[in-house]
Amino acid sequence: MSIRKKGYSHWEGQLKESAFVAWFPLTRLGIKLAFQKRFFKLFFFSAFLPALIFLAGIYVSERMEDFRFMIQGQPSFLQITPNYFKAYFTNSFFLFLLVLMMIFVGSGLIADDLKFKALQLYFARPLRKVDYLLGKMATLGFFLLLLSLIPGWIFVLFKLVFAGNFAFLRSYPWLPLAVVAYSLILTLFFAIYTLTLSALSSNSRHVALMIFGIYLASDIIFGIFYQNFHHPYLALLSLKLNLQQVGAALFGEKLFYPVPWGWSLLLLIMLMGLGLAILNRRIRSVEVVK
Amino acid sequence: MTPAAKILDLQRIGYNYGQIKALSGVSITVEKGPVGLLGPNGAGKSTLLRLLLGFLTIQEGQGKVMGYDVAREKTRVRQIVGYMPEDESYVPGIDGVTLTALLGELSGMPRQEAMKRAHDVLFYVGLEESRYRRVESYSKGMRQRLKLAQALVHDPQLILLDEPTSGLDPQGREEILELITDISNHGVQVLVSSHILPDIEETCQEVIILNQGQVAAQGNLQELKKLNYNLYELKVAGEAAPFLAKLQERGCRWEQEEDLWKLYLPRELSPRVIFELAVEEKVQVRHLVKSQSRLEDLFAQVVGEEE
């Protein structure tokens, strides 16, 4: 007999008074929805290709004797130093993959909630604005960290395993921390960047264009100005170059442009602050027309 | 709910959208539901619901819902209140049962319990066949039911229903009203905001009428209908205008429905006056019947008075 025939029935359970991870169901939903998107699974697995190539490089670097017939001499790119990590984390293709990931996963995260007026459903629950944002941010963080932090640590781990000793870690004890720090900066920046743009429109296609367009346009504008003026500080105009500058500094390597990396970090922090302020303004349980 | 708490206890609530006064000095006390919230467009009904849920912050006065302070215990209020919004609102890309369970979980239910309860409430509102369909493929009527289901999933003590029958066909409307009555009969307090007066008449004993951001009338529906005036149906032959003008001078109001006049006679005025004025103005009274007032009549009277 259906519940309808016997009338309304009460639920006997007890609601949790305060959920520490009230945002987690939103994160789980975001991840589930991402995998439902067309071509996303193909893209998701392809995105690990650079990591696999770099991992293979670590293996080859420890088995030089076996691969002598393939490699002439001792190529510098197979020296596993912090520069190797910098090469993975700051290469343009890797950063572009992260942008594509954000387009797939993040363009509709808030835009769809605005379009289908889901915010009032969420905020009629004991869910705070910060929980909502954490839930959405954690969805993006899941994918971003999978492509940054996890491969970074796997590189360190496999280097130790393939070498059979801890010499690498003794030489660069700060490297795992640098991996964590840079992964977190990438994650925070791209998550806030994506959510901010997603909150600015209720059309996820427009948001996708903005995510891609602003990232690309900032680099093109830098290119145009740099060609004319050759001033290194123009690198601050490019989102990509700012991320690369910070990455190079954290891995203790030579900067891409002779500009203090602190400027790039400050600029990224300021952009994130601006993003959070916009999010705070745009995320409302109801549209209030004054 | 705190012991013996009132459903609503609002004291001099005020809210402005910039320069526009949406609510002013609204004091409402409701001991027990179901209660209907009525008012013309722009009366402040939606603003009031938003204030009760903490979507908007009270600017003046103070309010309690089920004994909890709306401003300071927002989270607690939202945990024990279910809300069915007027707008079409859903999360695309997921099925009905997933959406309902998700919102149950966000209310604080354990995941498995939320899923089980989501099935139950979807059965209850009549969406058992469609619960695995994506919500964007639902018809308008199904979405209304889904909104009711999500409002009930965490078994709230009070549900706020904003235009629950809007856009439904007569059969769908009747079913939703039956559900509301059933929910109310099972101990859940219900507040229905609607512009469809028969919906309120069918489901509520208590009514609050808002007009221009203020409470125009509040109380038991049957009692309110008796208040302040007697309603008569009147047909006259002859020049009605001067006759009606005289009645107006005596404090009467009227409305015309085809060839019938609905006359609101102040309680202290005897119906004999109608005949006296008819003689004076040389009109014939062809039909005079004391009418049973409906909610429309009450609404027309209080809103008319305010205007």
Side-chain angles (χ1 to χ4, degrees):
Chain A
M1 185 167 76
S2 78
I3 186 170
R4 195 171 176 197
K5 285 177 191 142
K6 64 182 179 185
Y8 182 77
S9 71
H10 291 281
W11 176 59
E12 300 299 330
Q14 191 76 34
L15 293 173
K16 287 179 237 165
E17 282 297 316
S18 62
F20 178 63
V21 284
W23 47 268
F24 183 68
L26 288 179
T27 305
R28 201 177 54 225
L29 176 71
I31 294 169
K32 182 181 167 178
L33 287 176
F35 280 104
Q36 281 179 8
K37 287 192 175 141
R38 206 187 294 175
F39 305 123
F40 179 72
K41 281 179 195 159
L42 178 69
F43 168 75
F44 177 74
F45 292 110
S46 310
F48 287 99
L49 216 59
L52 284 174
I53 292 168
F54 273 74
L55 192 61
I58 293 174
Y59 178 73
V60 171
S61 73
E62 290 296 332
R63 298 284 183 274
M64 276 300 184
E65 298 306 314
D66 303 338
F67 293 95
R68 182 76 56 198
F69 68 97
M70 287 171 68
I71 303 162
Q72 300 296 318
Q74 184 97 335
S76 59
F77 69 90
L78 285 180
Q79 300 293 322
I80 307 302
T81 63
N83 191 43
Y84 192 79
F85 286 76
K86 176 196 160 191
Y88 174 74
F89 278 102
T90 64
N91 81 63
S92 298
F93 182 66
F94 170 74
L95 293 174
F96 184 64
L97 274 181
L98 296 187
V99 172
L100 287 182
M101 183 67 91
M102 291 302 93
I103 288 172
F104 263 114
V105 181
S107 53
L109 266 185
I110 295 178
D112 285 347
D113 286 347
L114 293 173
K115 183 174 181 181
F116 298 102
K117 296 178 180 166
L119 290 176
Q120 57 183 339
L121 293 180
Y122 292 139
F123 290 123
R125 317 278 151 183
L127 191 80
R128 297 164 304 163
K129 199 186 279 189
V130 67
D131 295 322
Y132 174 80
L133 283 176
L134 276 175
K136 299 290 179 181
M137 218 175 266
T139 303
L140 299 175
F142 171 80
F143 291 104
L144 288 165
L145 292 173
L146 265 182
L147 286 178
S148 56
L149 182 68
I150 303 299
W153 273 5
I154 287 176
F155 294 163
V156 175
L157 186 72
F158 274 69
K159 171 69 187 165
L160 300 178
V161 169
F162 292 148
N165 59 54
F166 288 93
F168 178 72
L169 215 49
R170 275 197 294 274
S171 307
Y172 310 106
W174 48 267
L175 192 62
L177 287 178
V179 168
V180 172
Y182 191 57
S183 300
L184 287 179
I185 288 171
L186 284 179
T187 301
L188 271 176
F189 174 76
F190 276 118
I192 293 172
Y193 171 72
T194 305
L195 289 182
T196 304
L197 296 178
S198 185
L200 286 176
S201 168
S202 56
N203 185 325
S204 58
R205 287 182 187 179
H206 293 168
V207 175
L209 280 174
M210 283 195 281
I211 293 172
F212 185 73
I214 293 173
Y215 180 81
L216 203 68
S218 71
D219 209 36
I220 291 171
I221 289 168
F222 156 76
I224 294 168
F225 279 101
Y226 192 73
Q227 235 170 13
N228 289 319
F229 301 107
H230 301 285
H231 199 291
Y233 275 77
L234 288 168
L236 293 171
L237 290 174
S238 161
L239 292 176
K240 184 186 86 180
L241 281 172
N242 283 306
L243 289 167
Q244 288 176 327
Q245 289 281 92
V246 174
L250 285 174
F251 289 110
E253 292 298 315
K254 186 174 179 288
L255 298 177
F256 290 82
Y257 288 87
V259 183
W261 67 276
W263 283 107
S264 291
L265 184 63
L266 187 69
L267 195 83
L268 293 176
I269 290 171
M270 280 166 59
L271 287 175
M272 286 191 268
L274 179 69
L276 289 174
I278 292 171
L279 283 169
N280 184 44
R281 204 172 162 74
R282 290 284 298 170
I283 308 299
R284 287 168 187 267
S285 40
V286 284
E287 280 289 328
V288 176
V289 182
K290 289 193 180 182
Chain B
M1 187 166 81
T2 56
K6 298 174 179 111
I7 299 178
L8 297 181
D9 187 6
L10 310 180
Q11 304 296 326
R12 298 177 306 282
I13 297 285
Y15 190 87
N16 302 324
Y17 293 106
Q19 298 296 312
I20 301 161
K21 192 163 273 198
L23 289 176
S24 165
V26 171
S27 294
I28 298 172
T29 307
V30 181
E31 302 273 349
K32 196 170 167 293
V35 56
L37 185 61
L38 278 171
N41 286 341
K45 302 189 300 289
S46 297
T47 304
L48 184 62
L49 290 187
R50 289 165 181 181
L51 288 170
L52 296 181
L53 283 160
F55 289 174
L56 301 173
T57 308
I58 292 175
Q59 293 167 346
E60 292 163 29
Q62 53 188 354
K64 284 185 177 178
V65 173
M66 307 299 282
Y68 294 103
D69 191 286
V70 173
R72 282 178 289 141
E73 295 170 291
K74 227 180 259 187
T75 311
R76 190 76 190 115
V77 169
R78 289 175 183 177
Q79 202 162 34
I80 58 165
V81 172
Y83 175 55
M84 178 183 178
E86 181 187 1
D87 307 318
E88 288 225 349
S89 40
Y90 56 90
V91 180
I94 55 175
D95 55 45
V97 73
T98 308
L99 174 64
T100 312
L102 169 81
L103 294 169
E105 231 185 310
L106 290 174
S107 295
M109 298 175 84
R111 188 179 178 192
Q112 284 184 332
E113 290 281 314
M115 185 51 86
K116 189 171 168 295
R117 174 77 179 168
H119 284 281
D120 285 350
V121 288
L122 288 170
F123 261 85
Y124 177 66
V125 301
L127 285 178
E128 63 271 27
E129 300 290 332
S130 335
R131 68 202 140 127
Y132 293 115
R133 269 173 57 184
R134 286 196 177 187
V135 290
E136 55 265 42
S137 71
Y138 280 19
S139 67
K140 167 91 182 168
M142 289 160 85
R143 283 184 196 155
Q144 284 294 101
R145 287 162 191 270
L146 180 68
K147 284 194 291 180
L148 180 59
Q150 63 78 29
L152 292 171
V153 67
H154 57 301
D155 192 21
Q157 293 171 20
L158 165 69
I159 49 169
L160 308 178
L161 309 172
D162 200 354
E163 304 288 355
T165 60
S166 122
L168 293 181
D169 58 31
Q171 194 194 338
R173 176 182 161 266
E174 206 48 52
E175 283 179 12
I176 290 281
L177 293 179
E178 271 175 35
L179 287 172
I180 293 171
T181 306
D182 184 55
I183 292 160
S184 170
N185 289 340
H186 281 81
V188 179
Q189 305 296 345
V190 178
L191 190 152
V192 187
S193 167
S194 179
H195 71 279
I196 305 171
L197 305 186
D199 285 4
I200 301 286
E201 223 164 3
E202 204 169 314
T203 52
C204 303
Q205 279 103 51
E206 297 282 321
V207 68
I208 299 160
I209 302 179
L210 286 181
N211 190 34
Q212 295 177 345
Q214 293 181 323
V215 177
Q218 180 195 348
N220 181 277
L221 187 52
Q222 298 309 320
E223 292 299 316
L224 277 175
K225 282 181 185 175
K226 291 178 199 160
L227 274 178
N228 301 329
Y229 66 95
N230 289 314
L231 180 65
Y232 288 90
E233 288 177 3
L234 172 75
K235 280 185 189 175
V236 292
E239 189 58 49
F243 167 64
L244 291 169
K246 281 271 171 72
L247 279 171
Q248 193 175 20
E249 284 171 16
R250 299 290 190 97
C252 294
R253 283 183 56 242
W254 69 83
E255 284 167 19
Q256 190 173 11
E257 280 182 9
E258 297 175 353
D259 61 337
L260 187 83
W261 300 92
K262 290 171 79 179
L263 206 60
Y264 297 94
L265 209 65
R267 270 198 167 277
E268 64 278 7
L269 210 64
S270 161
R272 181 183 287 271
V273 172
I274 299 170
F275 293 103
E276 288 170 3
L277 293 176
V279 171
E280 271 181 35
E281 295 300 323
K282 297 183 177 59
V283 293
Q284 283 182 2
V285 176
R286 292 273 175 91
H287 170 92
L288 181 71
V289 179
K290 190 168 191 304
S291 173
Q292 185 64 41
S293 61
R294 295 167 301 140
L295 185 54
E296 280 96 330
D297 303 323
L298 169 67
F299 186 74
Q301 192 209 15
V302 295
V303 170
E305 273 175 4
E306 292 289 319
E307 282 163 356

